[in-house]
Amino acid sequence: MEKSSQSPSIGTPITPTSQNQSVDSSNASKPPLPTNFSKKTSRQVSDVWDHFTRIEDNPNDPRAICNYCQQNYAAGHRIRGTSTLRNHLMNLCQKYPFRLEDKKQKTLIFQKKNIVGCESVGGSNLVAVVFNQNACRLACAKMIIIDELAFRFVEQEGFKLFCSVACPKFDIPSRVTIARDIMKLYNDEKKKLRDYFVKNSQRVSLTTDTWTSIQNFCYMVLTSHFIDHEWKMQKRILNFCQIANHKGEKIGKAIETCLKDWGIEKVFAITVDNASSNNVAIIHIKKRLQIWKSAVCDGEFLHMRCSAHILNLIVSDGLKDMDDSIAAVRNALDMLELLSLVKSCLSKLISRYSDEVKIKNPPEVNSTQSGSSIQEKVSMIDSDDDDSVNMFESEFDKECDEDDALDMKNELDRYFMDRNEDRKQKDFDILVWWKMNSSKYPILSEMARDVLAIQVSTVASESAFSTGGRVLDPFRSSLSPKMVQALICCQNWLRSSPMPLDMSSILEDIETYQSCDLGK
């Protein structure tokens, strides 16, 4: 790493500009270079080595020791750069005499009041902050994930120039370091989300879809949908994994593996398109849920067909009967486009010939022929709606145990006797209504929480691929499947609205702490 001619090196004492920034002169001298270094080396040595000494007793495991606190790190030829050693000096070593950071010195900034996902909401507050190298590295990793940037972005000249002005104290990580930070962030966020699912025994609905990358690798995305305790719809991508092929058995086993990894056993419904392979996958998952004894109504209503796919089939069937008409219109447009190129010649021909050009009317659509096929697909949507209603009623009957059947029946009677809400209101929100009435209908609200989380289409899974285009671009196609999954899942988690804390668990913890204080 070459020294910059415009900024002092890490080992160079900074000339104090005020009394608060004075440096102890007794520690200001730099230690001599280690004897195992040659000053005539062809490659310029990083200034970090002014503060570390190599230990090469074991050629297979060379180490470097800090000249101030004697902490040692691996320093073999396989280690790229000196980021680890530099981070030790700037953030960990308590005896380093040239630290630029003053823990007591704070800076006043205007900080946004609320940040939902990645968007700022509301005004800002004037707060005092201190520089934090780890926080900057974490924010840098999030930037790479959210904005879909290549890892080499942190090593580009423009970004380094910006950081040198905006935050000179920030030690910019290498592309290798940022990749490690991203994997660590993914694992940390995954643990938080998994703990939420396991601790709350959260029942989820799923959407899944399969795609093919530009390298002809098959990928499956699995997305969970649920309503949290604040009645906010949540969507979290669980997996974006590579599978061998698009066969139903492979898809079913991949979903099963994912659910086990996340500790999820309570699945309410799975929304997929009408591909035959998905039927096989649903049968596989249905058997597993029956074994886990967590299937609602024994999995009778587990399979939900994607309404968007059904509508696409309806439109496609309708257009088949108009193929001749559409082809005629397209041919006419092509002819007009070509004729515009020879407009001057045509004007002369028209003046010589007075015959009118007759355009044949396009054939009419056989409404009788297309009506039957369209009606069949419309009936598929109607049957799905009936299934949703039957599922709600069947789950209610299942929940009616003998002990509390009377209370639930009375609750259902009250629900049907209450005045209907005007759903034509523009601001009517069904989730807000259930949030306000959950205490009035405690059992029905839990059922509604599961039913309303069912997705009517797989668009939620399809949109996981990109914020504006194809996610599996050449850069991501060059990464390992594990890294691709980390990038796509983490982007979804960082963009999603935060889930509220479960107050019941917090109250339980408070009671536990109080009992400990009282010696119980």
Side-chain angles (χ1 to χ4, degrees):
M1 183 181 296
E2 297 183 358
K3 298 181 181 179
S4 173
S5 60
Q6 299 179 354
S7 59
S9 65
I10 288 184
T12 304
I14 305 299
T15 303
T17 57
S18 65
Q19 293 181 354
N20 293 334
Q21 295 178 324
S22 61
V23 179
D24 187 358
S25 60
S26 62
N27 294 325
S29 60
K30 293 164 55 175
L33 287 173
T35 56
N36 57 344
F37 279 100
S38 173
K39 294 184 179 181
K40 297 182 180 180
T41 179
S42 59
R43 185 174 61 87
Q44 190 171 4
V45 179
S46 170
D47 53 3
V48 170
W49 290 107
D50 292 338
H51 313 278
F52 282 85
T53 302
R54 288 185 182 272
I55 305 175
E56 298 185 349
D57 296 338
N58 185 358
N60 296 326
D61 184 26
R63 314 279 300 177
I65 187 171
C66 176
N67 295 339
Y68 307 104
C69 66
Q70 308 305 310
Q71 178 67 37
N72 66 82
Y73 294 92
H77 297 293
R78 292 174 296 176
I79 304 299
R80 296 185 179 180
T82 55
S83 298
T84 302
L85 306 183
R86 190 181 298 275
N87 179 64
H88 170 78
L89 293 176
M90 301 301 297
N91 300 287
L92 303 177
C93 183
Q94 300 298 325
K95 298 182 179 181
Y96 178 56
F98 311 115
R99 187 186 301 274
L100 300 179
E101 175 184 351
D102 186 357
K103 298 290 186 181
K104 298 180 181 179
Q105 186 68 34
K106 297 185 178 182
T107 305
L108 292 176
I109 65 168
F110 285 99
Q111 191 176 58
K112 298 295 182 181
K113 289 183 179 178
N114 299 305
I115 298 180
V116 179
C118 298
E119 297 182 358
S120 300
V121 179
S124 57
N125 292 329
L126 186 64
V127 296
V129 298
V130 295
F131 172 76
N132 188 314
Q133 173 71 16
N134 293 331
C136 288
R137 277 181 54 177
L138 179 61
C140 185
K142 291 181 178 180
M143 176 191 67
I144 296 295
I145 295 171
I146 294 172
D147 293 338
E148 301 178 6
L149 301 173
F151 297 158
R152 65 177 179 273
F153 178 82
V154 296
E155 296 180 349
Q156 293 180 350
E157 183 179 357
F159 180 69
K160 291 182 177 180
L161 175 63
F162 171 78
C163 290
S164 66
V165 176
C167 188
K169 295 182 180 180
F170 179 43
D171 182 20
I172 302 175
S174 65
R175 69 176 75 181
V176 177
T177 302
I178 206 69
R180 293 171 182 164
D181 290 347
I182 288 174
M183 287 304 304
K184 183 180 185 302
L185 176 62
Y186 165 73
N187 292 326
D188 292 343
E189 293 296 323
K190 180 179 180 180
K191 183 179 183 304
K192 294 178 185 177
L193 185 56
R194 188 183 188 280
D195 291 344
Y196 176 87
F197 285 134
V198 174
K199 189 171 184 178
N200 294 277
S201 298
Q202 182 71 53
R203 187 181 294 277
V204 301
S205 289
L206 303 174
T207 56
T208 184
D209 208 349
T210 53
W211 291 73
T212 303
S213 71
I214 59 177
Q215 296 176 329
N216 291 325
F217 292 146
C218 299
Y219 282 88
M220 184 197 75
V221 57
L222 187 66
T223 310
S224 64
H225 307 267
F226 57 95
I227 299 174
D228 61 30
H229 295 284
E230 290 296 324
W231 287 91
K232 298 291 185 181
M233 180 68 76
Q234 301 287 350
K235 180 187 77 172
R236 297 293 187 276
I237 298 178
L238 301 181
N239 271 55
F240 189 87
C241 57
Q242 187 175 343
I243 56 177
N245 51 57
H246 290 174
K247 294 182 179 179
E249 192 67 22
K250 292 292 184 181
I251 296 174
K253 290 182 178 179
I255 295 176
E256 178 190 359
T257 302
C258 172
L259 295 177
K260 288 181 178 179
D261 180 43
W262 282 90
I264 297 176
E265 294 185 352
K266 296 181 178 180
V267 177
F268 197 74
I270 304 178
T271 304
V272 293
D273 59 31
N274 293 321
S276 58
S277 58
N278 286 329
N279 298 331
V280 178
I282 294 297
I283 293 175
H284 180 88
I285 297 300
K286 181 179 178 179
K287 292 179 180 179
R288 291 298 176 269
L289 294 179
Q290 290 172 345
I291 294 175
W292 298 343
K293 301 185 183 302
S294 61
V296 177
C297 301
D298 203 30
E300 182 180 356
F301 306 103
L302 178 68
H303 188 181
M304 301 297 294
R305 295 178 176 86
C306 173
S307 60
H309 190 257
I310 295 175
L311 290 175
N312 181 62
L313 294 176
I314 293 175
V315 174
S316 298
D317 269 7
L319 292 177
K320 284 181 181 178
D321 295 322
M322 296 191 301
D323 281 348
D324 294 339
S325 301
I326 294 175
V329 173
R330 287 177 176 172
N331 290 334
L333 292 175
D334 292 337
M335 292 174 62
L336 290 174
E337 184 178 359
L338 294 174
L339 290 175
S340 64
L341 301 177
V342 290
K343 181 178 179 180
S344 59
C345 296
L346 286 176
S347 61
K348 295 179 181 179
L349 289 174
I350 292 174
S351 63
R352 294 181 58 184
Y353 298 95
S354 59
D355 294 340
E356 295 182 356
V357 179
K358 297 181 180 180
I359 302 177
K360 185 179 179 181
N361 294 329
E364 296 181 358
V365 179
N366 189 341
S367 58
T368 305
Q369 181 181 358
S370 62
S372 59
S373 60
I374 294 178
Q375 183 62 34
E376 292 177 358
K377 291 181 174 54
V378 172
S379 64
M380 295 175 66
I381 300 180
D382 293 338
S383 63
D384 283 346
D385 293 339
D386 294 338
D387 289 347
S388 300
V389 175
N390 294 336
M391 175 169 53
F392 187 88
E393 295 176 350
S394 300
E395 187 188 6
F396 185 85
D397 294 337
K398 181 182 177 182
E399 295 291 342
C400 291
D401 297 330
E402 296 181 358
D403 296 337
D404 55 354
L406 183 60
D407 293 338
M408 294 185 66
K409 184 177 180 181
N410 292 338
E411 182 176 322
L412 184 61
D413 290 339
R414 293 199 314 271
Y415 176 78
F416 285 123
M417 290 175 61
D418 277 353
R419 179 179 59 86
N420 293 334
E421 297 290 339
D422 184 9
R423 293 188 299 173
K424 295 182 180 180
Q425 300 177 13
K426 293 183 179 180
D427 57 347
F428 178 79
D429 189 334
I430 187 63
L431 296 182
V432 173
W433 188 93
W434 275 109
K435 180 180 180 180
M436 296 173 59
N437 292 273
S438 58
S439 58
K440 185 177 182 181
Y441 307 111
I443 302 174
L444 285 176
S445 63
E446 290 300 316
M447 296 167 56
R449 191 192 305 273
D450 293 336
V451 173
L452 293 176
I454 299 175
Q455 300 298 299
V456 298
S457 74
T458 60
V459 174
S461 288
E462 295 173 2
S463 63
F465 269 72
S466 179
T467 56
R470 187 186 183 100
V471 164
L472 290 182
D473 53 15
F475 164 66
R476 282 173 173 75
S477 296
S478 66
L479 301 175
S480 66
K482 185 177 181 180
M483 180 59 75
V484 173
Q485 175 173 263
L487 290 172
I488 292 180
C489 290
C490 242
Q491 184 189 62
N492 169 256
W493 300 343
L494 294 175
R495 286 182 175 273
S496 301
S497 58
M499 290 178 295
L501 296 175
D502 185 1
M503 296 305 297
S504 60
S505 62
I506 295 178
L507 293 176
E508 292 176 359
D509 292 340
I510 294 176
E511 293 177 357
T512 302
Y513 298 148
Q514 289 177 345
S515 63
C516 294
D517 293 339
L518 296 176
K520 294 181 181 180

